[in-house]
Amino acid sequence: MMWYKSFHEKHTKKLLHHVLDDSVNKFAHYKLLESDFITQGRAFSELANNAGLHIVTAAPSLSREKSTHAIPIPINRGLLGVRICLLQKGNTGKFQHIETLQDIIDNKIVFGQGEHWPDTQILKANGLRVFTSPLHANLHQMLRAGRFDCFPRAVSELDDELEQYGSEGLEVEGSFAIVYKLPLFFWFNSENKALIESVHSGLLKSVADRSYHEINRQSFEAILKKYNLESRNIIYLNNPNESELVKSTDRKLWHPMLQKHFKTE
């Protein structure tokens, strides 16, 4: 059983199918099933308690690392931490001339975030105003209603979300991106050794034969061009709670645009 939001991530499912089919301990007859519609917090609770959920994809936090098991290979090469503002249509005026973190703070821009998302604390730690909701789906409607100014979506997930939740009444900010170190990992119950070994061995093999790099390129090369990442002003945020698991992630696996920054940290 796979958490419903992970189940709808096209790149994640493509990579997972690839590594399971190519792992050392192959699952001869597996089928990915979608979980019920549950929050990220509840998904990790069910995963930790072995309550029927087997795979979750999400960013790391210290509490998650203590209660469940992550494979420290970033599913989308760290693009989860490359954020573009989704706005209420017509609300671009507040975002003119944003060049620095201080500009965002001075303009009193409010960000919409999930209550259980690890990067909510990253935004707050950098002095940003944050409005939270326990349900991801509600945030799209709240943005349309003007409850907050920016819904920072990962460039890797933006198109999928607009397809799933609709783009009516919304627009994408075009001048800057917010970037922080936030990998997307596969998470499992710590006792599910066979599944962990299968996914881990398959990921390692895909890194070695570079199919991991090619699948990521196929998934995101066009999206990065579509949203003009090369020409956007990049505003980097520090992650004061970066765990040892994240620090130990092989830097060569980060996307090249992130390696340029993270190698100097």
Side-chain angles (χ1 to χ4, degrees):
M1 185 76 69
M2 191 174 191
W3 181 40
Y4 87 95
K5 191 169 186 302
S6 306
F7 187 86
H8 287 284
E9 293 167 356
K10 295 177 183 177
H11 168 73
T12 294
K13 285 180 69 178
K14 181 178 181 180
L15 182 61
L16 182 59
H17 279 301
H18 175 73
V19 301
L20 284 176
D21 292 343
D22 211 26
S23 65
V24 172
N25 301 316
K26 291 187 179 181
F27 278 67
H29 304 287
Y30 73 87
K31 183 177 181 181
L32 293 180
L33 300 176
E34 179 182 1
S35 78
D36 293 335
F37 186 89
I38 57 176
T39 65
Q40 192 171 111
R42 183 178 167 189
F44 272 94
S45 176
E46 290 197 4
L47 192 66
N49 292 313
N50 205 16
L53 196 59
H54 303 106
I55 302 175
V56 172
T57 58
S61 71
L62 294 175
S63 61
R64 292 173 181 180
E65 292 172 29
K66 290 178 181 177
S67 62
T68 55
H69 182 93
I71 297 173
I73 295 176
I75 294 170
N76 57 23
R77 304 200 69 187
L79 292 178
L80 185 66
V82 179
R83 299 284 167 148
I84 295 173
C85 281
L86 193 58
L87 314 177
Q88 182 187 43
K89 198 170 184 65
N91 193 30
T92 56
K94 198 169 185 176
F95 294 83
Q96 291 180 354
H97 313 300
I98 296 290
E99 296 182 1
T100 67
L101 174 60
Q102 192 60 48
D103 291 336
I104 297 175
I105 294 171
D106 291 345
N107 282 20
K108 298 180 180 179
I109 292 171
V110 180
F111 292 80
Q113 285 281 121
E115 194 172 278
H116 301 286
W117 298 353
D119 55 329
T120 296
Q121 298 307 315
I122 296 176
L123 299 183
K124 289 181 177 180
N126 283 269
L128 301 180
R129 300 183 178 202
V130 181
F131 173 94
T132 63
S133 169
L135 292 177
H136 176 196
N138 289 351
L139 288 163
H140 289 265
Q141 292 304 321
M142 290 176 177
L143 177 61
R144 289 184 175 94
R147 299 285 295 277
F148 52 87
D149 303 306
C150 165
F151 191 13
R153 309 316 300 133
V155 66
S156 56
E157 65 189 359
L158 184 53
D159 277 3
D160 285 350
E161 286 210 358
L162 290 174
E163 180 181 325
Q164 184 177 356
Y165 296 106
S167 59
E168 184 178 354
L170 303 175
E171 62 181 295
V172 178
E173 199 285 325
S175 66
F176 70 93
I178 296 172
V179 173
Y180 39 84
K181 189 181 283 189
L182 192 74
L184 183 72
F185 290 151
F186 287 111
W187 297 82
F188 311 87
N189 180 281
S190 300
E191 300 303 315
N192 199 344
K193 306 294 186 185
L195 183 57
I196 292 170
E197 173 58 24
S198 291
V199 176
H200 199 174
S201 67
L203 281 170
L204 290 173
K205 186 175 181 181
S206 73
V207 169
D209 66 18
R210 300 194 66 81
S211 57
Y212 163 87
H213 302 76
E214 179 59 19
I215 290 171
N216 270 278
R217 187 196 66 76
Q218 291 172 4
S219 293
F220 302 122
E221 185 177 57
I223 292 174
L224 293 174
K225 289 180 180 177
K226 175 180 177 179
Y227 291 111
N228 302 311
L229 263 295
E230 290 292 332
S231 61
R232 285 176 181 263
N233 180 43
I234 303 298
I235 299 172
Y236 289 102
L237 303 186
N238 293 319
N239 181 356
N241 298 316
E242 183 180 332
S243 69
E244 291 303 318
L245 182 69
V246 176
K247 291 177 182 178
S248 69
T249 302
D250 187 345
R251 296 190 179 200
K252 295 190 294 294
L253 299 182
W254 297 98
H255 190 276
M257 72 170 288
L258 300 176
Q259 290 180 30
K260 289 186 290 185
H261 173 66
F262 295 152
K263 71 180 180 180
T264 63
E265 289 187 337

